[in-house]
Amino acid sequence: MERDAAFTQKKAERACLRVHLREKYRLPKSEMDENQIQMAGDDVDLPEDLRKMVDEDQEEEEDKDSILGHLQNLQNMDLDTIKEKAQATFTEMKQTAEQKCSVM
């Protein structure tokens, strides 16, 4: 009975992890996972090591979404590449305007 209880608890923990991942990636919910969590008594949390992994992922995503994260991405970009893209876009817009406007 203890082994069955431990097995049910592990299944519920795994189901809890899947629920968290589905929420994170906005995937459809699964009734099977919800049923497993309910069978364990709704007193199920992620295992400690998995909780640490989830927390680290959340911190990483928050850093990327912050202003500092965007500034770091800008620092990593090559300025020559940015200038080339801007020049190409400007040239393309100029050509399109010349084709559409007979005065130019």
Side-chain angles (χ1 to χ4, degrees), residues 45-59:
D45 285 330
L46 288 175
E48 191 64 30
D49 54 345
L50 294 177
R51 180 169 298 288
K52 288 179 186 176
M53 289 171 52
V54 169
D55 291 342
E56 288 172 3
D57 286 347
Q58 286 177 340
E59 289 174 10

Side-chain angles (χ1 to χ4, degrees), residues 46-82:
L46 288 175
E48 191 64 30
D49 54 345
L50 294 177
R51 180 169 298 288
K52 288 179 186 176
M53 289 171 52
V54 169
D55 291 342
E56 288 172 3
D57 286 347
Q58 286 177 340
E59 289 174 10
E60 222 173 85
E61 287 180 10
E62 289 171 3
D63 289 344
K64 287 180 183 177
D65 290 340
S66 70
I67 293 173
L68 293 176
H70 289 293
L71 289 177
Q72 287 176 348
N73 285 341
L74 287 176
Q75 289 175 351
N76 293 337
M77 294 182 84
D78 184 18
L79 288 179
D80 292 333
T81 306
I82 294 172

Side-chain angles (χ1 to χ4, degrees), residues 3-68:
R3 186 181 70 196
D4 288 342
F7 181 69
T8 302
Q9 182 70 20
K10 284 290 185 187
K11 283 176 63 175
E13 288 174 354
R14 291 183 194 118
C16 187
L17 175 65
R18 287 191 296 269
V19 167
H20 282 285
L21 290 175
R22 283 193 175 99
E23 288 174 2
K24 178 179 178 181
Y25 295 108
R26 297 181 182 102
L27 298 172
K29 294 181 179 181
S30 169
E31 283 191 37
M32 186 176 74
D33 289 340
E34 292 174 10
N35 291 339
Q36 286 178 345
I37 293 171
Q38 287 177 355
M39 286 175 52
D42 287 332
D43 189 28
V44 179
D45 285 330
L46 288 175
E48 191 64 30
D49 54 345
L50 294 177
R51 180 169 298 288
K52 288 179 186 176
M53 289 171 52
V54 169
D55 291 342
E56 288 172 3
D57 286 347
Q58 286 177 340
E59 289 174 10
E60 222 173 85
E61 287 180 10
E62 289 171 3
D63 289 344
K64 287 180 183 177
D65 290 340
S66 70
I67 293 173
L68 293 176

Side-chain angles (χ1 to χ4, degrees), residues 94-104:
K94 185 177 176 182
Q95 289 173 351
T96 304
E98 288 173 355
Q99 290 173 354
K100 289 184 179 182
C101 182
S102 60
V103 176
M104 294 181 105

